[in-house]
Amino acid sequence: MTRRYSRRSVVQFAGAGTVAALAGCTGGGDSGDAVRISGGVGPLPMVEVWADLYEEEHDTTFDISGGGTGVGVSDVLNGQVDIAMMGREPQQEENDQGLFAVPMLIDTVVATVNENNPVLDEIQSQGLTREDLEAIFTREVTTWGEVVGTDADEEIVVYGRSDASAAYKKWGDFLGGEDGAYTESELEDLADANHNGDQPVAEAVGSNENAISMNNINYVYDLSSGELEGNIRPVPLDRDGDGLSEEEDFYETRDEFLSAVEAGDYPSPPAREMFLASDEGFEGEAADFVEWVLSDGQEYVRENGYVPLDDQRLEEAQTKLEEGP
């Protein structure tokens, strides 16, 4: 099977398709023998990298598409694919239908603003609290000056996600704090506009100096160098409300950010575990691939912008995979 495109290009086209929609588009191989995978756009780039590496060492091919976590779950439970990619933990009703999932890595998103935001210096020096972000995304505050305590009267423009985004759901969980959560529908209704996929969100924020949204960190930092790139910038999170301390200031590079996620200095949510799932249990080549992901495959996670499972969680996942449903 010929499937050699960049991870970023994968993200750009994967949002709308299911495996059925892409059948024949991945070209070249016998799709009947391929491991079929669909689901979450968030984990898709890493799964693509894993599949490329695995193909180099094994007589296995892959048909992979996005569509969102809900699409992947539906596809796998209907027998259309062998593996579903999930950007969130399985729900009980999905487990009741036979979904069997194991964690594969940790992903995270961060609030993003335009590089020419009128109060970017203040945001980067003092950070914003969860409460600040909640007030912004729920329209309790409407100007940037209200947020950082200046006379800047530019109106805040809030962009959200229009797709079934697991990342957006986790963002709603984060904004609501320990006492609750905002649903994706609630946040969509409050936003000035909603976009289908991470790339369109990044482009929208990058084209409006007064915009704010949230993005996977691979859209904030250069994929190769790990440095800040493009025209969006991360919003540092002030966790204790005392301003941005040295321990909270880790946004200059992707590597610093990932280390903060690993250390628990960046909260979960919005950091989140991602899962691979099957109907009842993984079988054949799909099972071999998932076993490889939970062993050799973990060494490639960090260099591709995600956080690998820690030793304890990895052992739990391996044991669950071995024991089955």
Side-chain angles (χ1 to χ4, degrees):
M1 180 174 75
T2 302
R3 185 174 42 75
R4 292 290 185 270
Y5 30 72
S6 71
R7 293 187 293 118
R8 183 60 55 87
S9 68
V10 169
V11 175
Q12 290 172 349
F13 78 74
T18 66
V19 161
L22 288 177
C25 296
T26 49
D30 180 358
S31 60
D33 297 328
V35 175
R36 302 163 301 167
I37 304 175
S38 72
V41 175
L44 176 61
M46 187 66 240
V47 174
E48 281 283 352
V49 171
W50 276 330
D52 284 343
L53 292 166
Y54 194 80
E55 281 181 349
E56 293 174 358
E57 301 176 3
H58 303 82
D59 186 22
T60 301
T61 58
F62 295 85
D63 279 337
I64 304 176
S65 65
T69 293
V71 169
V73 170
S74 176
D75 284 349
V76 80
L77 291 178
N78 289 323
Q80 293 178 274
V81 300
D82 306 295
I83 299 173
M85 300 175 287
M86 301 184 65
R88 57 165 172 75
E89 61 274 19
Q91 298 170 350
Q92 186 56 50
E93 58 266 33
E94 295 168 339
N95 293 331
D96 293 342
Q97 296 177 61
L99 194 72
F100 175 75
V102 294
M104 57 171 158
L105 52 77
I106 297 170
D107 178 52
T108 193
V109 298
V110 63
T112 50
V113 295
N114 188 283
E115 65 174 340
N116 296 315
N117 181 285
V119 295
L120 183 63
D121 289 345
E122 289 85 352
I123 289 175
Q124 291 185 327
S125 63
Q126 67 191 48
L128 298 183
T129 65
R130 181 200 63 77
E131 291 80 4
D132 291 332
L133 292 168
E134 180 183 13
I136 291 172
F137 279 83
T138 60
R139 319 314 295 262
E140 184 179 337
V141 296
T142 58
T143 70
W144 284 111
E146 291 178 87
V147 176
V148 298
T150 71
D151 58 1
D153 59 0
E154 290 87 348
E155 295 281 339
I156 300 171
V157 177
V158 177
Y159 291 136
R161 293 283 292 269
S162 56
D163 50 350
S165 165
Y168 204 32
K169 179 183 183 305
K170 286 292 184 182
W171 190 247
D173 293 345
F174 164 66
L175 292 180
E178 296 180 358
D179 297 329
Y182 295 96
T183 67
E184 182 168 351
S185 177
E186 289 172 331
L187 294 178
E188 284 180 13
D189 290 343
L190 292 166
D192 290 289
N194 295 287
H195 301 275
N196 188 7
D198 230 317
Q199 181 70 25
V201 169
E203 291 173 353
V205 174
S207 63
N208 189 325
E209 294 181 359
N210 296 313
I212 186 170
S213 190
M214 39 74 71
N215 280 103
N216 178 282
I217 63 170
N218 279 332
Y219 292 85
V220 180
Y221 300 95
D222 182 85
L223 287 172
S224 299
S225 69
E227 304 290 327
L228 287 169
E229 68 162 358
N231 46 15
I232 65 173
R233 292 292 179 269
V235 175
L237 183 63
D238 170 17
R239 297 191 66 175
D240 56 13
D242 291 336
L244 199 65
S245 66
E246 184 176 344
E247 291 75 20
E248 294 170 326
D249 189 8
F250 44 73
Y251 297 84
E252 188 63 28
T253 68
R254 187 182 66 185
D255 194 54
E256 286 183 66
F257 196 126
L258 292 176
S259 295
V261 175
E262 288 179 289
D265 293 331
Y266 191 76
S268 177
R272 54 177 174 152
E273 278 192 339
M274 291 179 162
F275 295 79
L276 295 173
S278 62
D279 182 14
E280 298 296 344
F282 297 99
E283 297 180 348
E285 292 182 327
D288 293 341
F289 174 65
V290 175
E291 182 180 12
W292 179 86
V293 165
L294 295 180
S295 52
D296 294 350
Q298 290 292 301
E299 70 177 274
Y300 304 103
V301 171
R302 206 171 198 280
E303 65 192 56
N304 285 285
Y306 301 86
V307 175
L309 300 176
D310 64 32
D311 290 344
Q312 180 179 344
R313 189 60 173 154
L314 187 59
E315 184 176 348
E316 291 172 354
Q318 292 167 334
T319 299
K320 183 176 182 180
L321 179 66
E322 182 178 348
E323 294 179 347

Coordinates of all heavy atoms in Angstrom, one line a residue, residues 8 110-115 120 124 215-236 249-258:
R8 N 1.1 16.3 9.1 CA 0.3 17.5 9.1 C -0.8 17.4 8.0 O -1.9 17.8 8.2 CB 1.1 18.7 8.9 CG 0.4 20.0 9.0 CD -0.4 20.2 10.3 NE 0.5 20.2 11.5 CZ 1.2 21.2 12.0 NH1 1.1 22.4 11.4 NH2 1.9 21.0 13.0
V110 N -3.8 23.2 24.5 CA -3.5 24.4 25.2 C -4.3 25.6 24.6 O -4.6 25.6 23.4 CB -2.0 24.7 25.2 CG1 -1.6 25.0 23.7 CG2 -1.7 25.9 26.1
A111 N -4.7 26.6 25.4 CA -5.4 27.7 24.8 C -4.4 28.5 23.9 O -3.2 28.5 24.2 CB -5.8 28.7 25.9
T112 N -4.9 29.0 22.8 CA -4.1 29.7 21.8 C -4.6 31.0 21.5 O -5.8 31.2 21.4 CB -3.9 28.8 20.5 OG1 -5.2 28.4 20.0 CG2 -3.1 27.6 20.8
V113 N -3.7 32.0 21.2 CA -4.1 33.3 20.8 C -3.2 33.7 19.6 O -2.2 33.1 19.4 CB -4.0 34.4 21.9 CG1 -5.0 34.1 23.0 CG2 -2.5 34.4 22.4
N114 N -3.6 34.8 18.9 CA -2.8 35.3 17.8 C -1.5 35.9 18.3 O -1.5 36.4 19.4 CB -3.7 36.3 17.1 CG -3.0 36.8 15.8 OD1 -2.1 37.6 15.8 ND2 -3.6 36.3 14.7
E115 N -0.5 35.7 17.5 CA 0.8 36.3 17.9 C 0.8 37.8 18.0 O 1.7 38.4 18.7 CB 1.9 35.9 16.9 CG 1.8 36.4 15.5 CD 2.9 36.1 14.6 OE1 4.0 35.8 15.1 OE2 2.7 36.2 13.4
L120 N -0.7 40.4 24.4 CA 0.1 39.2 24.5 C 1.2 39.3 25.5 O 1.5 38.3 26.2 CB 0.7 38.9 23.1 CG 1.5 37.6 23.0 CD1 0.7 36.4 23.2 CD2 2.2 37.5 21.7
Q124 N 1.6 36.5 28.4 CA 2.8 35.7 28.5 C 3.6 35.9 29.8 O 4.3 35.1 30.3 CB 3.7 35.9 27.3 CG 3.1 35.4 26.0 CD 4.1 35.5 24.9 OE1 4.9 36.4 24.8 NE2 4.0 34.5 23.9
N215 N -5.8 24.4 20.9 CA -5.2 23.6 19.9 C -4.4 22.5 20.5 O -3.7 22.7 21.6 CB -4.4 24.4 19.0 CG -5.1 25.2 17.9 OD1 -5.3 26.4 18.1 ND2 -5.6 24.5 16.9
N216 N -4.3 21.4 19.8 CA -3.3 20.4 20.1 C -1.9 21.1 20.0 O -1.7 21.9 19.1 CB -3.4 19.2 19.1 CG -2.3 18.2 19.3 OD1 -1.2 18.4 18.9 ND2 -2.7 17.1 19.9
I217 N -1.0 20.7 20.8 CA 0.3 21.4 20.8 C 1.1 21.2 19.6 O 2.0 21.9 19.3 CB 1.2 21.0 22.1 CG1 1.5 19.5 22.0 CG2 0.4 21.4 23.4 CD1 2.5 19.1 23.1
N218 N 0.8 20.1 18.8 CA 1.5 20.0 17.5 C 1.1 21.0 16.5 O 1.8 21.1 15.4 CB 1.3 18.6 17.0 CG 2.1 17.5 17.6 OD1 3.2 17.8 18.1 ND2 1.7 16.3 17.7
Y219 N 0.1 21.8 16.8 CA -0.2 22.9 15.9 C 0.4 24.2 16.4 O 0.2 25.3 15.8 CB -1.7 23.1 15.8 CG -2.3 21.9 15.0 CD1 -2.6 20.7 15.6 CD2 -2.5 22.0 13.6 CE1 -3.1 19.6 15.0 CE2 -3.0 20.9 12.9 CZ -3.3 19.7 13.6 OH -3.8 18.7 12.9
V220 N 1.0 24.2 17.6 CA 1.6 25.4 18.2 C 3.1 25.4 18.0 O 3.7 26.4 17.8 CB 1.3 25.4 19.7 CG1 1.9 26.6 20.3 CG2 -0.2 25.4 19.9
Y221 N 3.8 24.2 18.0 CA 5.2 24.1 17.9 C 5.6 23.4 16.6 O 4.8 22.6 16.1 CB 5.8 23.3 19.1 CG 5.5 23.9 20.4 CD1 4.4 23.4 21.2 CD2 6.3 24.9 21.0 CE1 4.1 24.0 22.4 CE2 6.0 25.4 22.2 CZ 4.9 25.0 22.9 OH 4.6 25.5 24.2
D222 N 6.7 23.8 16.1 CA 7.2 23.2 14.8 C 7.4 21.7 15.0 O 8.0 21.2 16.0 CB 8.6 23.8 14.4 CG 9.1 23.3 13.1 OD1 8.7 23.8 12.1 OD2 9.9 22.3 13.2
L223 N 7.0 20.9 14.1 CA 7.0 19.4 14.2 C 8.4 18.9 14.3 O 8.7 17.9 15.0 CB 6.3 18.8 13.1 CG 4.7 18.9 13.1 CD1 4.2 18.4 11.8 CD2 4.1 18.1 14.3
S224 N 9.3 19.5 13.6 CA 10.7 19.0 13.6 C 11.6 19.6 14.8 O 12.2 18.9 15.5 CB 11.4 19.4 12.3 OG 10.7 18.8 11.2
S225 N 11.5 20.9 14.9 CA 12.4 21.6 15.8 C 11.8 21.7 17.2 O 12.5 21.7 18.2 CB 12.7 23.0 15.4 OG 11.6 23.8 15.4
G226 N 10.5 21.6 17.3 CA 9.8 21.8 18.6 C 9.8 23.2 19.1 O 9.4 23.5 20.2
E227 N 10.2 24.1 18.3 CA 10.1 25.6 18.6 C 8.8 26.1 18.3 O 8.0 25.6 17.4 CB 11.2 26.3 17.9 CG 12.6 25.8 18.1 CD 13.2 26.1 19.5 OE1 12.8 27.1 20.1 OE2 14.0 25.2 20.0
L228 N 8.4 27.3 18.9 CA 7.2 28.0 18.5 C 7.2 28.4 17.1 O 8.3 28.8 16.6 CB 7.0 29.2 19.4 CG 6.6 28.9 20.8 CD1 6.8 30.2 21.7 CD2 5.2 28.4 20.9
E229 N 6.2 28.1 16.3 CA 6.1 28.5 14.9 C 4.8 29.1 14.6 O 3.9 29.1 15.4 CB 6.3 27.2 14.1 CG 5.1 26.3 14.2 CD 5.1 25.2 13.0 OE1 5.9 25.3 12.1 OE2 4.1 24.4 13.0
G230 N 4.7 29.6 13.4 CA 3.4 30.1 12.9 C 3.0 31.4 13.6 O 3.7 32.1 14.3
N231 N 1.7 31.6 13.5 CA 1.2 32.9 14.1 C 0.2 32.7 15.2 O -0.7 33.5 15.4 CB 0.5 33.7 12.9 CG -0.4 32.8 12.1 OD1 -0.7 31.7 12.5 ND2 -0.8 33.3 10.9
I232 N 0.3 31.6 15.9 CA -0.5 31.4 17.1 C 0.5 31.1 18.3 O 1.6 30.6 18.0 CB -1.5 30.3 17.0 CG1 -0.9 28.9 16.9 CG2 -2.5 30.6 15.9 CD1 -1.9 27.8 16.9
R233 N 0.1 31.5 19.5 CA 0.9 31.3 20.6 C 0.1 30.7 21.8 O -1.0 30.9 21.9 CB 1.5 32.7 21.1 CG 2.4 33.4 20.1 CD 3.7 32.6 20.1 NE 4.7 33.2 19.1 CZ 4.8 32.8 17.8 NH1 4.0 31.9 17.3 NH2 5.7 33.4 17.1
P234 N 0.8 29.8 22.6 CA 0.1 29.2 23.7 C -0.1 30.2 24.8 O 0.6 31.2 25.0 CB 1.1 28.1 24.1 CG 2.5 28.7 23.8 CD 2.3 29.5 22.5
V235 N -1.2 30.0 25.6 CA -1.5 30.8 26.7 C -1.0 30.1 28.0 O -1.5 29.1 28.3 CB -3.0 31.0 26.8 CG1 -3.4 31.8 28.1 CG2 -3.6 31.8 25.6
P236 N 0.0 30.7 28.6 CA 0.5 30.0 29.9 C -0.6 30.0 30.9 O -1.4 30.9 31.1 CB 1.7 31.0 30.3 CG 2.0 31.7 29.1 CD 0.8 31.9 28.3
D249 N 6.2 28.3 34.0 CA 6.6 28.9 32.8 C 7.4 27.9 31.9 O 8.7 27.8 32.0 CB 7.5 30.1 33.1 CG 7.8 30.9 31.8 OD1 7.2 30.6 30.8 OD2 8.6 31.9 31.9
F250 N 6.7 27.1 31.1 CA 7.4 26.0 30.4 C 6.8 26.0 28.9 O 6.7 24.9 28.4 CB 7.1 24.7 31.1 CG 5.7 24.5 31.5 CD1 4.7 24.2 30.7 CD2 5.4 24.5 32.9 CE1 3.4 24.0 31.1 CE2 4.1 24.3 33.3 CZ 3.1 24.1 32.5
Y251 N 6.6 27.1 28.3 CA 5.9 27.1 27.0 C 6.8 27.5 25.9 O 6.4 27.7 24.8 CB 4.7 28.1 27.1 CG 3.6 27.7 28.1 CD1 3.7 28.0 29.4 CD2 2.6 26.9 27.6 CE1 2.8 27.5 30.3 CE2 1.6 26.5 28.5 CZ 1.7 26.8 29.9 OH 0.8 26.3 30.8
E252 N 8.1 27.7 26.2 CA 9.0 28.2 25.1 C 9.2 27.1 24.0 O 9.3 27.4 22.8 CB 10.4 28.6 25.7 CG 11.3 29.3 24.7 CD 10.8 30.6 24.2 OE1 10.0 31.2 24.9 OE2 11.1 30.9 23.1
T253 N 9.3 25.8 24.4 CA 9.5 24.7 23.5 C 8.5 23.6 23.8 O 8.0 23.5 24.9 CB 10.9 24.2 23.5 OG1 11.1 23.5 24.8 CG2 12.0 25.3 23.3
R254 N 8.3 22.8 22.8 CA 7.4 21.6 22.9 C 8.0 20.6 24.0 O 7.3 20.0 24.7 CB 7.2 20.9 21.6 CG 6.2 19.8 21.6 CD 6.1 19.1 20.3 NE 7.3 18.4 19.9 CZ 7.5 17.8 18.8 NH1 6.6 17.8 17.8 NH2 8.7 17.2 18.5
D255 N 9.3 20.5 24.0 CA 10.0 19.5 24.9 C 9.7 20.0 26.3 O 9.4 19.2 27.2 CB 11.4 19.5 24.6 CG 12.1 18.3 25.3 OD1 11.6 17.1 25.1 OD2 13.1 18.4 26.0
E256 N 9.8 21.3 26.6 CA 9.5 21.8 27.9 C 8.1 21.5 28.3 O 7.8 21.1 29.4 CB 9.8 23.3 28.0 CG 11.2 23.7 28.0 CD 11.3 25.3 28.2 OE1 11.0 25.8 29.2 OE2 11.8 25.9 27.2
F257 N 7.2 21.7 27.4 CA 5.8 21.5 27.6 C 5.5 20.1 27.9 O 4.8 19.7 28.9 CB 5.0 22.0 26.4 CG 3.5 22.2 26.7 CD1 2.9 23.4 26.3 CD2 2.7 21.2 27.2 CE1 1.5 23.6 26.6 CE2 1.4 21.4 27.4 CZ 0.8 22.6 27.1
L258 N 6.1 19.2 27.1 CA 5.8 17.7 27.4 C 6.4 17.3 28.7 O 5.8 16.5 29.4 CB 6.4 16.9 26.2 CG 5.8 17.1 24.8 CD1 6.6 16.3 23.8 CD2 4.3 16.6 24.9

